[in-house]
Each structure stands twice: as C-alpha cells, then as structure tokens.
Amino acid sequence: TKVELERRVDALPDQEQQALRLRREVEVATELYTNLLNTAQELRVAQAGVTGNVRVVDDAVRPESPVGPRRLHIATLATSLGLLLGVGFVFGKNALRRAVQDPDAVERALGVPVASVIPHSAIERRNIRRAGRRGERLPLLAADHPQDLAIEGLRSLRTSLQVTLLGTSANAVAVTSPHPSSGKSFVCLNAGYVFAEAGKRVLVIDADLRRGYLHEYAEGGRAPGLAEVLADEIDAANAVRSFGVPATGGDEHAAGALDVLTSGALPPNPSELLAGRRFRELLEEFGARYDLVIVDTPPILAVTDAAVVGARAAATLMLVRAERTSMREIEAALSKLQKSEVRVAGLVFNDLGADGGAAGSYYYRYEYATLGRK
C-alpha cells in the first residue's frame, strides 16, 4: 500500500531517497514534454489540412512579344490634353478679364473722345528696369528714341491738345488717371518734350504731392519743388529745372524749351496746398511765361487732388492704361470729376499692346491717403 511504500522509502538511506525523488521528477518532466510535442504536432497537422478559397481559373499564357509603354499613344494623348487645357485657359482668362483693351469700344460706351493711343514701348520698360538696378535717373524716351511708336502716339496727342486749346486764354492741362501706375509721369514729360520740339515753351508740374515720380527723370532729386514754392520757401524761378530742347530746324527763334517743376518734399497737407490761392496764382504766373503748362496730378479714385487741379485747368485729360484699367474704374473716375464740375476733354490710351491685369482702386485709395499723412 501507499503507507507501506512510504515507510520503505523512509527506511532507505538519504542518498537513495534523493536519487528516487530526482528520478521521479525526470519521469514527470519527460511525460509532460512528450505531451506538448504531441499537441504541437496535432496543431500543425490541423493547420496544414485547412482548405484555401483560391482556385486556378486558367493557366497563364506566355505573350508572343515583349510588353512595353506605347510612347506614340502617350505623346499624342498628352499633346492633345495640353492643347485643350491651354486653349481653355486662354478663353477663360479673356472671359474673366474686365480691363479695357479697345479704345473705340470705350469711346462708344462712355461718349468721351479718345485723344490719343500710345503703344507699348519695350525700350521704355527696359530703361525703367535698368535705371532701377543702377539707381540712375530715367532717360527721356522722346529725346533718345524719337521714332519709337509711343512717341508717335504722343505726337498725335499734341495735335489733339492744340485743337482742344484753340480759343481759350488758359493753357494749363491737367492729366489724371483712375489708379496709379498708369504712366502719367512718362506721358506728361514726353508729351512736353514733343511740344517743345515744335517750338513751344512747356512746363511740366508734378502736382502729385503724395507720391510724385517726375523727379526720377530730372537731376537733383525731389526737392526743391512745388511744395516748397506753395509754402513760400523758395521762389518759383529757382525751383524750375530745365531739360533744354534743341532748336527746331536750326532756327534759334523757333526753339522750344522744356522745364520741369518736381513735387518737392512731400507735405502733410497736399490737398490744402493745391486748393489754396497760391497755387491758382502760380498757374496764372506760369501761364503767362509758357505756351503750355502740363500738370501731373494724383489718381482721381485715390484722392480728390486731381479734381482741385482740374477745376483750375483749361482742359483735363484722363490717362487709361490698356489691359490694366477696367471700364468700371473709368466710369467711377469720370463720375467723380463731373461731380466736381470738371469736364474731361479726352481719354489717352497708354501702353496699348502690353500684358497686364486689372487693378482695383480701393487699395490705391488707402495707399495714397496714408502716404499723404506721413
């Protein structure tokens, strides 16, 4: 029995009892290991016996020729798709563009005559870039390249202005635009040179006392100029700078002259200076000394300075930059001038043929107003 077996084991020496216990543990461990091996083998057999859901439908067929990209088809498809996208982009851009491009259409729509059309000048654009890089003054296109198409357009403007000023005692012409970057300084100064070539004494005044650019064509910088003259800090004769135009046809008596009065140091109260009595007296004084006075004014949609100057000028011209100015901007500018009882004698289409994008007037109004307070 169990009790008898335990008694017999207890009677054995200690070493034999230890050996018996170890033998018993080995047998238990061997039996446990054998059972684990059997269980693992059964699981592997069960896993291998599971049937998958994949079956062979058909045997693969070996191609007779190598498979490669169809380059001709791909190139043809890509070219066709590129052309379609390009044409669609052009038509979409033209459909969304609201900037004016046709002077005749603007003239018919607004009833305001187009005094002149000035083509785009690649030379002038190149001069602006070069002068900006080198920090030099801008060269005068009418003096260096008199046969440029833009100068031919200014000669037609000269004819239109001569007809407009017939029968008037005043000879001051105000030039404005709906928004900045229309090329007023370029048109005013080069038109003055064209008039001077015809034997006229011309003065170009930079009345943009907020951001005037006329000094970039002249020596000596912005000041002294109109602001100092209106503030009685300097005499007008000492502030005027001469460009000097050669005699026409070698006749000294028929020689014209081109003078420039820059804006001067930007004052804190430009509107008040232009609306004051001193500016009116200055125009009368210059009108007696010159055959033509061209006044470059700020954009009318930005500030009212152009309306103040236009009310004292014999004629007002509005500069429209092709493919930049929208019809809505022109209408708003004309309406603002009419409310100030300023009649626009004609439109001048500038930079016709150059690419550009429409520009709104709200940003410019803010920019000019803030600069005028500095």
Side-chain angles (χ1 to χ4, degrees):
T1 64
K2 181 179 179 181
V3 176
E4 184 179 355
L5 289 175
E6 290 178 352
R7 188 171 51 252
R8 291 176 61 184
V9 169
D10 292 337
L12 293 175
D14 293 339
Q15 291 183 353
E16 291 184 3
Q17 291 182 11
Q18 183 70 19
L20 182 62
R21 285 195 296 270
L22 292 176
R23 188 181 302 111
R24 187 185 304 164
E25 291 177 359
V26 170
E27 292 176 355
V28 171
T30 302
E31 185 177 358
L32 180 61
Y33 175 72
T34 304
N35 292 334
L36 290 177
L37 286 179
N38 294 333
T39 303
Q41 187 65 26
E42 292 176 358
L43 291 176
R44 281 196 291 269
V45 171
Q47 183 180 8
V50 175
T51 304
N53 58 355
V54 179
R55 60 191 181 89
V56 177
V57 177
D58 196 1
D59 295 334
V61 178
R62 183 176 181 180
E64 297 179 357
S65 59
V67 178
R70 299 181 179 180
R71 298 180 180 179
L72 180 60
H73 292 76
I74 295 175
T76 303
L77 182 60
T79 303
S80 303
L81 185 59
L83 289 175
L84 289 175
L85 291 177
V87 172
F89 174 77
V90 171
F91 278 100
K93 184 178 180 180
N94 289 333
L96 296 175
R97 177 183 293 172
R98 294 178 293 177
V100 294
Q101 304 177 58
D102 187 359
D104 295 333
V106 176
E107 188 172 11
R108 289 192 302 268
L110 302 178
V112 180
V114 175
S116 177
V117 176
I118 303 174
H120 170 72
S121 175
I123 299 177
E124 178 66 12
R125 175 175 290 184
R126 186 166 60 248
N127 289 341
I128 293 174
R129 292 176 178 174
R130 183 184 297 115
R133 290 195 305 267
R134 300 178 180 179
E136 303 172 347
R137 70 180 183 90
L138 290 173
L140 198 60
L141 185 66
D144 298 340
H145 300 87
Q147 301 304 321
D148 191 87
L149 290 178
I151 305 304
E152 293 297 330
L154 289 172
R155 292 191 176 97
S156 67
L157 176 61
R158 177 181 63 188
T159 303
S160 300
L161 267 182
Q162 288 173 343
V163 174
T164 302
L165 297 178
L166 283 178
T168 61
S169 57
N171 58 359
V173 177
V175 179
T176 186
S177 64
H179 57 75
S181 301
S182 298
K184 294 192 307 298
S185 299
F186 165 79
V187 170
C188 290
L189 199 55
N190 284 275
Y193 191 93
V194 170
F195 269 96
E197 279 186 325
K200 303 292 184 181
R201 291 183 55 81
V202 183
L203 173 66
V204 181
I205 302 177
D206 191 351
D208 188 349
L209 300 183
R210 303 171 189 267
R211 291 191 61 186
Y213 289 105
L214 209 60
H215 64 280
E216 295 185 358
Y217 289 89
E219 296 285 355
R222 186 188 296 273
L226 178 61
E228 287 75 17
V229 175
L230 294 179
D232 292 326
E233 297 178 2
I234 189 174
D235 186 68
N238 296 328
V240 171
R241 311 176 197 183
S242 176
F243 263 79
V245 179
T248 304
D251 186 359
E252 295 182 358
H253 298 286
L258 174 62
D259 294 340
V260 174
L261 179 61
T262 59
S263 63
L266 302 181
N269 56 340
S271 297
E272 289 74 11
L273 289 178
L274 295 176
R277 176 180 54 85
R278 178 60 180 139
F279 183 69
R280 183 179 67 254
E281 295 175 351
L282 195 63
L283 286 182
E284 295 175 355
E285 176 186 342
F286 286 142
R289 291 170 49 187
Y290 293 92
D291 299 315
L292 178 65
V293 178
I294 303 176
V295 186
D296 183 2
T297 67
I300 185 61
L301 292 183
V303 289
T304 59
D305 298 2
V308 174
V309 177
R312 298 177 178 180
T316 299
L317 296 176
M318 180 174 294
L319 199 64
V320 175
R321 186 165 183 178
E323 301 185 10
R324 286 283 187 92
T325 308
S326 66
M327 182 68 76
R328 187 174 181 180
E329 286 176 327
I330 302 175
E331 293 174 348
L334 291 175
S335 175
K336 192 171 183 179
L337 289 173
Q338 290 172 358
K339 291 179 181 178
S340 301
E341 298 182 356
V342 177
R343 186 183 67 87
V344 176
L347 301 177
V348 179
F349 254 74
N350 185 35
D351 208 22
L352 187 65
D355 293 332
S361 62
Y362 295 102
Y363 166 76
Y364 300 120
R365 184 182 298 113
Y366 170 78
E367 183 182 24
Y368 261 77
T370 53
L371 285 172
R373 298 191 188 101
K374 291 183 180 179

